[in-house]
Structure formats: structure tokens, C-alpha cells
Amino acid sequence: MSITVIAMSDSHASTLRELPARLCSALSTADIIVHAGDLTEMSLLLELRAKGQTVAVAGNMDSTAVKIHLPHRQLFTANGRTIGVAHGSGAPTGIAQRVRALFPENPDLIIFGHSHVPFSGVVDGVLMVNPGPASRGYARISVGEEVSAQLVAA
């Protein structure tokens, strides 16, 4: 049996009301919500947690409160699979390789953000997904015997 992860990043919002309705609707279908940084405000994190299990990391544009509360890198297990989450940094070129280097544990999946460029592909043997900015889309990830990701436009 698969579980559904809805991954988002770079929301730059203080409330869910500022995000696309399609994304907000998708959040209610998630077994796990992942936010890969740049939430901006704690209020958004609290709203996400009220919707269900949420895994989040801090990004470079987050408030001091968010940066104090959240790690910059996180590993968790879902349905027997290891998933890494990090925001990322630097220029868009090469970001997937830089983020991949943060996870020598070789997880089954790495979710990241920062570049505002949606991406789904394998880097050094690991599926990597950047859902792009939340204002434009998110990723629907199925975690079961296989791990697969679909980028969805908002």
C-alpha cells in the first residue's frame, strides 16, 4: 500500500489563503505534507500542521522564528523508505547536485526547493524532486514498493 506525500516549497506566505486553491485542496489528500523551506512565517507552518503530519525545513528567506524552530536538513522514514528534505542554496545551476551531496546516507528520495525551478529526476542514484514555488505548483509523491513523483501545476 502506498502513502501520498504532497511536497511544496518556496511558498513565501504567512497563511494558506495566500496559496493556490488547487494546492490547498491537495493538502487534504496527503498522508504527509512536506515543505522544503521558505515558508516565511510560523503561522503557515502551524496551519500545515493542523492539516496533518508535516515535515518541514528552514530556508534562506524564512523568519528568524522559523529558522530557530526548523532544521536546515532532515531525514525521515515513510512506508519503510528514507526521505531527505533540504531547502538548497546558491544559483539554480547545479543545485540538485549540491543538495544531493548533503545526503551521504543515500535516501530513497530527496525533496528540495530554493531555485523556483520544478525538477524531478535521478541524481547519483537518488530520486530528487523540487516542486517549484508553491504559487505555481507542488509535487504528488507516491511512496510504496516504488517511489514516484508527479509535478502538478497549481
Side-chain angles (χ1 to χ4, degrees):
M1 183 167 136
S2 290
I3 66 166
T4 299
V5 174
I6 299 296
M8 59 192 290
S9 185
D10 299 281
S11 55
H12 301 279
S14 56
T15 178
L16 286 172
R17 290 187 306 275
E18 297 173 36
L19 299 176
R22 187 170 184 186
L23 168 59
C24 293
S25 177
L27 293 173
S28 31
T29 69
D31 295 302
I32 301 172
I33 297 167
V34 172
H35 197 300
D38 281 2
L39 297 96
T40 314
E41 299 298 332
M42 281 297 295
S43 51
L44 179 62
L45 178 61
L46 296 174
E47 284 186 60
L48 290 172
R49 287 180 172 166
K51 287 198 155 293
Q53 181 181 348
T54 301
V55 175
V57 295
N60 59 300
M61 298 299 291
D62 284 320
S63 67
T64 300
V66 172
K67 288 179 180 177
I68 289 170
H69 187 75
L70 293 176
H72 290 279
R73 172 194 180 276
Q74 193 165 167
L75 278 172
F76 70 99
T77 302
N79 214 12
R81 301 290 185 173
T82 304
I83 300 171
V85 184
H87 184 61
S89 63
T93 303
I95 189 169
Q97 290 77 14
R98 288 193 305 277
V99 171
R100 173 65 182 92
L102 297 173
F103 293 94
E105 303 87 350
N106 293 318
D108 298 290
L109 168 69
I110 298 171
I111 301 167
F112 67 105
H114 184 65
S115 67
H116 291 223
V117 179
F119 172 81
S120 179
V122 176
V123 176
D124 293 333
V126 176
L127 177 61
M128 297 191 61
V129 176
N130 181 338
S135 62
R136 293 196 314 239
Y138 61 93
R140 177 177 295 281
I141 301 165
S142 177
V143 181
E145 284 189 35
E146 301 290 323
V147 179
S148 61
Q150 173 190 11
L151 297 172
V152 181

